[in-house]
Amino acid sequence: MKKSKKVLLVILFVVLFLLIAGKIIIGNMVRNVRNISVSMPDLSNMQDGNYTGEYSIAPVYVKVEVSVSHHRITNIIILQHDNGLGHAAESIVNDVVEEQSLDIDAVSGATVSSKCILKAVENAIENAIENERGRF
């Protein structure tokens, strides 16, 4: 009986340690994510079309397709979203289209995924603008 209690106690301490370590790691990741800036590129010279962009903050990866028409974002499709529990963040694309801005608050409880989605949208537009400059 004593041996099983010791094993149970060791398992309990290991689980507790893992929970505390995980909380610290996730807290640091969220603090670091808040320092990543997202800015809305100028759409005034963009051609109409669909553009892809991606962004990753381990363990989250996002790839989006951004539709632009008449210098406005008309739709954003999330092509890939590898994450932990950040599926709720996917609703942020509706806010971007509605506000025509990337200055959108992160979805509560899905800060990392929210930031990745916004950066992926920014990258899609920036890449399109860079490609347009390269043509001329």
Side-chain angles (χ1 to χ4, degrees):
M1 267 294 220
K2 283 191 169 208
K3 187 174 184 178
S4 63
K5 284 185 180 181
K6 286 182 182 180
V7 169
L8 187 58
L9 193 56
V10 168
I11 291 171
L12 181 63
F13 280 124
V14 168
V15 169
L16 185 59
F17 173 78
L18 291 174
L19 287 173
I20 292 170
K23 183 159 178 64
I24 291 169
I25 290 168
I26 290 171
N28 286 335
M29 183 174 56
V30 169
R31 277 190 293 283
N32 291 338
V33 165
R34 289 188 180 130
N35 293 328
I36 296 172
S37 66
V38 178
S39 60
M40 184 69 178
D42 181 9
L43 301 177
S44 64
N45 294 320
M46 280 193 72
Q47 300 292 317
D48 291 355
N50 298 321
Y51 306 100
T52 58
E54 57 190 346
Y55 194 77
S56 179
I57 301 171
V60 178
Y61 169 80
V62 175
K63 184 174 183 179
V64 297
E65 179 181 83
V66 179
S67 299
V68 175
S69 179
H70 298 96
H71 313 292
R72 295 181 52 83
I73 297 172
T74 56
N75 194 28
I76 301 169
I77 299 171
I78 297 176
L79 301 173
Q80 186 174 350
H81 184 196
D82 301 332
N83 62 20
L85 303 173
H87 286 292
E90 294 179 2
S91 66
I92 203 167
V93 298
N94 299 326
D95 296 335
V96 171
V97 173
E98 183 178 317
E99 299 291 326
Q100 292 296 300
S101 173
L102 295 177
D103 188 17
I104 305 292
D105 290 336
V107 174
S108 180
T111 303
V112 177
S113 285
S114 296
K115 186 70 80 153
C116 282
I117 292 168
L118 293 172
K119 286 298 284 185
V121 171
E122 177 186 37
N123 289 343
I125 297 167
E126 286 290 342
N127 292 341
I129 292 170
E130 288 299 318
N131 288 337
E132 285 297 314
R133 286 185 191 141
R135 290 185 189 174
F136 298 105

